Amino acid sequence: LRAARMADLVVVVAGTSASEMVDRTDLSLYDGADALIEAVVAEKKTVVLMQTPGAVLTPWRDHPNVSAIMNLFLAGEETGTAWAQVLFGDLSPAGKLPIMFPANVSDTIRPSATSPILYKEGLFTSYRNPAFIAAFPFGHGLSYTQFQYGAPALKTAHECHASICFGLDITNVGGVRGSEVMQVYLEFLSAGALTPRRLLRAYRKVVLEPGKTESIAFELSLRDMSVYQPGAGWVKQVDARAHIGSSSADIRHVLDLSPSAR
């Protein structure tokens, strides 16, 4: 800790790993890294860089001295180059989480290296389970800029060559070039209790210079507008809403897709 006290800013690189037939016994970072981070953040502003094969717990994330947290998963031989480019501002972070990072171990399936794991949750995993609390939600990812989502609007049947189409503008309102992944989660109002409230059905990545705007169109297919029901197959849903946002928890607009709104 003496070196941390002498530094202006501390960068902690921590990780965990897994391989075929070698699962993790828990969701903590390896080698006591959580205790190290907690000790360092008690002294100095800290940036935490994580290299993980999946979700980990981050019990220190809300400490006021944690300035930033980044996760690279397992990036390979150019890991050092990637970290340097992001840390020094040569590139803006552009990734989005393909999984949810749980707030606590109770917010996910508890891992075990010895006991059988029963996967009985069906579709209700990750963001689809309202009982799970996320430290960092599915689809989350920050950058060095900000994006403004314009109001979405349905397209007419003449303009649309899919089941349903809509469009909206997105603007880079920050000061640097950056990318955003716009995500569309559909809520089927009459699908029943076996269907999660929101399901990811579409996404688009856009790269914009500062101050620039791009018009984005989403085309939802018949399959996108359907849910699978045992014994019946894929069943089209009539009443639906589109939740459009930057992550599963950061919804910017809700658009009614029901026939009465078209």
Side-chain angles (χ1 to χ4, degrees):
L1 292 178
R2 182 181 305 170
R5 295 188 184 104
M6 296 174 60
D8 295 323
L9 174 74
V10 178
V11 178
V12 176
V13 182
T16 183
S17 190
S19 62
E20 188 174 359
M21 302 300 294
V22 184
D23 294 332
R24 290 180 286 166
T25 57
D26 56 49
L27 296 181
S28 299
L29 294 168
Y30 276 179
D31 299 325
D34 290 324
L36 171 65
I37 294 169
E38 289 173 349
V40 170
V41 299
E43 303 287 341
K44 288 288 183 176
K45 292 287 186 182
T46 304
V47 172
V48 180
L49 309 181
M50 300 189 300
Q51 299 170 192
T52 73
V56 293
L57 296 175
T58 51
W60 32 262
R61 64 186 177 276
D62 293 326
H63 193 284
N65 275 348
V66 176
S67 298
I69 304 169
M70 290 186 280
N71 191 72
L72 197 57
F73 292 101
L74 302 179
E77 63 184 16
E78 286 299 313
T79 293
T81 302
W83 279 138
Q85 289 178 333
V86 172
L87 281 174
F88 290 101
D90 298 327
L91 291 176
S92 178
K96 296 285 188 175
L97 285 178
I99 56 176
M100 181 192 84
F101 275 41
N104 296 288
V105 70
S106 58
D107 296 309
T108 187
I109 300 169
R110 189 181 295 270
S112 173
T114 56
S115 301
I117 305 295
L118 298 178
Y119 292 94
K120 57 184 179 180
E121 67 281 351
L123 294 176
F124 291 88
T125 60
S126 186
Y127 72 94
R128 298 184 292 256
N129 192 326
F132 286 168
I133 299 173
F136 303 101
F138 176 90
H140 172 76
L142 301 178
S143 72
Y144 294 149
T145 190
Q146 299 84 40
F147 295 91
Q148 179 177 294
Y149 285 57
L154 288 166
K155 295 186 178 294
T156 65
H158 177 73
E159 300 173 298
C160 181
H161 301 289
S163 182
I164 293 178
C165 304
F166 65 89
L168 71 160
D169 291 344
I170 183 169
T171 303
N172 182 345
V173 295
V176 299
R177 183 177 189 265
S179 66
E180 170 70 330
V181 179
M182 309 169 71
Q183 301 162 41
V184 178
Y185 298 84
L186 295 189
E187 176 187 4
F188 300 116
L189 303 179
S190 304
L194 295 180
T195 300
R197 180 171 178 261
R198 292 204 298 254
L199 295 166
L200 179 68
R201 284 293 195 257
Y203 56 90
R204 284 284 300 276
K205 183 175 183 178
V206 58
V207 181
L208 290 173
E209 299 291 338
K212 296 299 183 180
T213 298
E214 186 169 335
S215 297
I216 303 297
F218 286 97
E219 298 183 348
L220 300 175
S221 67
L222 179 61
R223 178 71 169 265
D224 293 331
M225 296 298 299
S226 302
V227 298
Y228 188 83
Q229 296 179 353
W234 290 95
V235 179
K236 181 182 178 181
Q237 303 298 296
V238 176
D239 295 319
R241 286 194 287 249
H243 298 252
I244 306 149
S246 184
S247 78
S248 59
D250 183 7
I251 301 300
R252 308 291 179 88
H253 296 286
V254 179
L255 181 64
D256 188 357
L257 303 180
S258 301
S260 60
R262 299 179 216 166

